[in-house]
Amino acid sequence: RYTIPAPFAMYADSESINIKNIIEEHKTTEKLTNHQMCSYGYKLVCTVDDRFSKPVKIHRGENAAHKFLEDMILEEAYCAKIIKTRLTKPLVMTEQDEWDFTNAKCCHICKAKYKNDKEENVRVHDHYTGKYKGSAHKRCNLNVLNVFFHNLKGYDGRFIIQEIGKFSKKIG
């Protein structure tokens, strides 16, 4: 709700299967199947310049949730590199923009008021046009990739959440 469009968006979905378990004799409870993520697909779109979009990627096989997270880390690095090297239009500020920044009382992204004058806020700009957008918390201005995942908060998300704990790199 309080976000600015990121220069990249990803649209993703996954599929899962039931794998039949070997049933042990003399047990009172039997787990008949084990659900596992078996495939995923995604499309990475650069929202400001389609030259940096990528074709659809589809993966099928074992450890699909783990492989998906590895791919997300690689795609995040790709997006950051493109922003740093190709979407590098310098910030252009008018006198009015500078006045607005200096006198800003809240973050234009999250809408939270700045706690004090010493709170670190940054000048947010469109890296493609150079146009000033507003004042923001530094942490609010770090979004480079939005991921839209079909049914993530439903059933599909559990496979990815379970796998996140196995990564040593911070997934942001």
Side-chain angles (χ1 to χ4, degrees), residues 47-63:
T47 60
V48 294
D49 190 335
D50 200 44
R51 292 178 299 161
F52 304 117
S53 296
K54 289 187 167 184
V56 171
K57 175 158 185 176
I58 297 174
H59 172 82
R60 293 181 197 99
E62 291 184 26
N63 301 315

Side-chain angles (χ1 to χ4, degrees), residues 98-128:
E98 193 61 51
W99 188 91
D100 291 344
F101 175 76
T102 304
N103 295 291
K105 304 285 186 229
C106 67
C107 174
H108 93 279
I109 298 172
C110 74
K111 308 299 184 208
K113 288 185 178 181
Y114 294 127
K115 293 178 184 165
N116 56 50
D117 291 338
K118 296 183 186 207
E119 187 168 17
E120 186 176 4
N121 56 336
V122 295
R123 292 167 177 85
V124 178
H125 76 288
D126 184 316
H127 290 263
Y128 193 66

Side-chain angles (χ1 to χ4, degrees), residues 91-102 123 130-132:
L91 170 64
V92 177
M93 290 191 63
T94 64
E95 285 182 29
Q96 181 65 48
D97 293 338
E98 193 61 51
W99 188 91
D100 291 344
F101 175 76
T102 304
R123 292 167 177 85
K131 184 179 177 191
Y132 173 73

Side-chain angles (χ1 to χ4, degrees), residues 68-167:
F68 176 77
L69 292 174
E70 287 177 337
D71 281 352
M72 292 303 95
I73 290 169
L74 294 174
E75 297 298 359
E76 178 188 31
Y78 168 79
C79 295
K81 179 181 177 186
I82 293 299
I83 290 168
K84 188 174 184 176
T85 62
R86 304 298 295 271
L87 303 178
T88 57
K89 196 95 172 203
L91 170 64
V92 177
M93 290 191 63
T94 64
E95 285 182 29
Q96 181 65 48
D97 293 338
E98 193 61 51
W99 188 91
D100 291 344
F101 175 76
T102 304
N103 295 291
K105 304 285 186 229
C106 67
C107 174
H108 93 279
I109 298 172
C110 74
K111 308 299 184 208
K113 288 185 178 181
Y114 294 127
K115 293 178 184 165
N116 56 50
D117 291 338
K118 296 183 186 207
E119 187 168 17
E120 186 176 4
N121 56 336
V122 295
R123 292 167 177 85
V124 178
H125 76 288
D126 184 316
H127 290 263
Y128 193 66
T129 65
K131 184 179 177 191
Y132 173 73
K133 292 182 175 182
S135 172
H137 296 107
K138 187 175 182 178
R139 69 183 176 276
C140 293
N141 189 38
L142 298 176
N143 187 22
V144 297
L145 172 63
N146 290 328
V147 179
F148 301 95
F149 204 104
H150 179 256
N151 199 30
L152 185 65
K153 75 177 187 179
Y155 189 76
D156 292 345
R158 76 185 202 105
F159 301 114
I160 294 168
I161 298 301
Q162 288 170 347
E163 202 60 40
I164 285 176
K166 298 176 184 174
F167 277 80

